Amino acid sequence: MPAFAPRLTPLFGRLALAAIAATLTAAPTLASEAPGQALAAKAGIPWPAVIAHRGASFDAPEETLPAFILARELGADYLELDLQRTQDGVLIALHDDNLQRTTNIDEVFPARAHDPVSSFSLAELKQLDAGSWFNKAYPGRARDRYAGLKILTLEEVMDIAEGGANKPGLYIETKVPEQFPGIEADLKEVLQRRGWLRERPAAAPGQVNVAHMPGRVVLQTFDKSSLRLLHKEMPQVPKVLLLWVGEGSIKPKSAVPFKDSGFKDKASYYAAQEVSSKAEFEAWIDWAKANGAIGTGPSSRLANGGDQSYMDLVKPWMNELTHAKGLIVHPYTVDEAVDFKSISAAGADGFFTNRTAELLKFYQRPARQDIDSLLKSNGY
Ligand code: G3P
Ligand code: CA
């Protein structure tokens, strides 16, 4: 299997292999027999994987309709979402556990502006504007039609995944699961009812076909208890333990908090954080494997910093060790070619990315249409 073979339907894949092989000589330099490739194949997960982090969230408001539609249309393998639950028991896709950053909660429910997501009903959440913040934060990428976008339910994200010619998979994180007892069982109920826990029909030739693969759903969490519960509920579904250095995660070499560290920005502080020892890192990998994970999602330090630049948990020795234990490596959250290249060389088996189109370009399977025309043709 060539290193950069796209996820095509089997017939098209066979017919296209010769043509694809001819282009591979120009591919970015990655190990031709990467150790994670066989492990990903065993789990039924595409390799290397393009995981659209909160959808195509560089170009549209995170975890909203245009973000997920754009990711699907560009050709992402997976739509990534953060799972929470409303006060009336509906599973939704939202990252933060309060509504301050990505909605107009201050205007709609001023007295409850700092309350947790879990205290709002779905009807209340649907009154919020989850798009205008993006236009203010990123005027260069703003679009009039982003104003008034709604928070989505898990089932609405499933509708998007199912609704185009490309059939991406779902990469679902249980977010702050301690706030949502039983959310793992709730997730199983929805996945089962919607047919995502059994084989799904193949996509048409030439389209993304991940929803047809055994790894059509990947479950992810930072939380050990939640990983255990996910494995108990859905032992057959691939699971990934997200890695971090600090409280509740891998023990740091130095426990000096940011406020006392002297660093001016979080990215520089995170960059200086290291695991306390190789044995500590190895213990986390062993624990992940023993509790049902088929991979890890480590943080990455990005060449140009930024608010998603974290600890470097993708050093070559870490990825080698993880592969040697039989687990794949999906680092978060990487958007630029300089990082795709260096972290791939260090052993990544795909990436969480806000910039699906950039990662697809790096993997030499560029989108057929540009972002602007895809957004316009979908009404944005
Ligand atoms: O789920 C992988 C990555 O998304 C973890 O970070 O905070 O963006 O959910 P976060
Ligand atoms: Ca996430």
Side-chain angles (χ1 to χ4, degrees), residues 178 221-225 241-252 280 284 287:
E178 68 278 9
T221 184
F222 284 100
D223 186 287
K224 283 180 164 180
S225 303
L241 182 65
L242 300 169
L243 301 179
W244 181 257
V245 175
E247 201 181 334
S249 294
I250 301 173
K251 196 172 154 209
E280 165 74 1
W284 274 77
W287 189 94

Side-chain angles (χ1 to χ4, degrees), residues 52-76:
H53 181 247
R54 313 181 199 170
S57 57
F58 182 85
D59 293 289
E62 63 187 59
E63 312 210 31
T64 65
L65 196 58
F68 286 124
I69 288 179
L70 181 59
R72 181 194 72 195
E73 295 301 298
L74 287 167

Side-chain angles (χ1 to χ4, degrees), residues 53-54 63 80-82 95 173 175 220 222 242 352:
H53 181 247
R54 313 181 199 170
E63 312 210 31
E80 194 261 354
L81 63 133
D82 302 289
H95 180 271
E173 178 183 352
K175 194 55 107 186
Q220 41 152 350
F222 284 100
L242 300 169
F352 292 87

Side-chain angles (χ1 to χ4, degrees), residues 55-365:
S57 57
F58 182 85
D59 293 289
E62 63 187 59
E63 312 210 31
T64 65
L65 196 58
F68 286 124
I69 288 179
L70 181 59
R72 181 194 72 195
E73 295 301 298
L74 287 167
D77 291 316
Y78 288 102
L79 307 184
E80 194 261 354
L81 63 133
D82 302 289
L83 196 70
Q84 299 191 60
R85 190 173 61 202
T86 65
Q87 185 269 335
D88 49 343
V90 181
L91 298 183
I92 58 165
L94 195 69
H95 180 271
D96 297 7
D97 66 350
N98 71 55
L99 297 146
Q100 283 283 307
R101 182 177 63 88
T102 61
T103 77
N104 61 341
I105 186 79
D106 287 326
E107 296 162 24
V108 183
F109 298 108
R112 300 165 66 194
H114 296 275
D115 289 359
V117 171
S118 57
S119 67
F120 290 83
S121 69
L122 182 63
E124 289 171 337
L125 292 180
K126 286 287 187 183
Q127 293 175 45
L128 301 175
D129 172 351
S132 290
W133 72 272
F134 181 93
N135 287 348
K136 285 185 205 120
Y138 307 110
R141 286 170 251 153
R143 289 177 188 253
D144 290 346
R145 291 289 303 278
Y146 288 167
L149 289 170
K150 302 296 178 200
I151 290 172
L152 298 176
T153 65
L154 169 63
E155 294 208 55
E156 287 168 336
V157 181
M158 290 172 154
D159 291 340
I160 299 166
E162 295 166 10
N166 283 334
K167 302 295 182 191
L170 297 168
Y171 209 119
I172 305 173
E173 178 183 352
T174 52
K175 194 55 107 186
V176 286
E178 68 278 9
Q179 292 186 22
F180 303 105
I183 197 167
E184 296 82 5
D186 293 347
L187 175 58
K188 180 187 177 182
E189 186 279 318
V190 177
L191 289 169
Q192 200 156 44
R193 177 164 49 74
R194 291 287 301 247
W196 278 81
L197 295 184
R198 53 180 184 269
E199 190 171 359
R200 299 186 65 80
Q207 304 295 333
V208 172
N209 193 35
V210 177
H212 182 61
M213 297 171 69
R216 65 187 67 89
V217 177
V218 180
L219 306 172
Q220 41 152 350
T221 184
F222 284 100
D223 186 287
K224 283 180 164 180
S225 303
S226 191
L227 183 71
R228 276 207 191 98
L229 289 167
L230 289 167
H231 194 52
K232 178 169 163 266
E233 294 291 341
M234 294 170 273
Q236 77 284 15
V237 177
K239 281 162 285 290
V240 159
L241 182 65
L242 300 169
L243 301 179
W244 181 257
V245 175
E247 201 181 334
S249 294
I250 301 173
K251 196 172 154 209
K253 195 169 264 179
S254 157
V256 178
F258 172 64
K259 66 178 173 49
D260 303 326
S261 68
F263 285 108
K264 289 196 174 57
D265 61 276
K266 280 267 178 88
S268 307
Y269 170 73
Y270 290 142
Q273 298 302 297
E274 293 196 52
V275 299
S276 60
S277 67
K278 184 179 171 192
E280 165 74 1
F281 183 83
E282 186 169 4
W284 274 77
I285 304 304
D286 286 340
W287 189 94
K289 182 163 188 179
N291 287 276
I294 57 83
T296 62
S299 60
S300 310
R301 183 175 61 200
L302 307 178
N304 295 316
D307 61 5
Q308 293 188 49
S309 183
Y310 306 120
M311 308 89 188
D312 180 3
L313 293 180
V314 287
K315 297 181 199 299
W317 72 262
M318 295 171 164
N319 299 332
E320 280 161 24
L321 185 150
T322 305
H323 286 144
K325 303 272 182 183
L327 272 61
I328 62 170
V329 179
H330 286 164
Y332 64 92
T333 300
V334 184
D335 287 350
E336 295 188 2
V338 60
D339 297 308
F340 296 147
K341 193 171 175 191
S342 64
I343 303 172
S344 293
D349 299 311
F351 293 99
F352 292 87
T353 184
N354 303 306
R355 304 191 71 172
T356 292
E358 294 301 310
L359 183 53
L360 287 168
K361 214 184 296 170
F362 176 74
Y363 286 147
Q364 300 201 342
R365 49 180 184 118

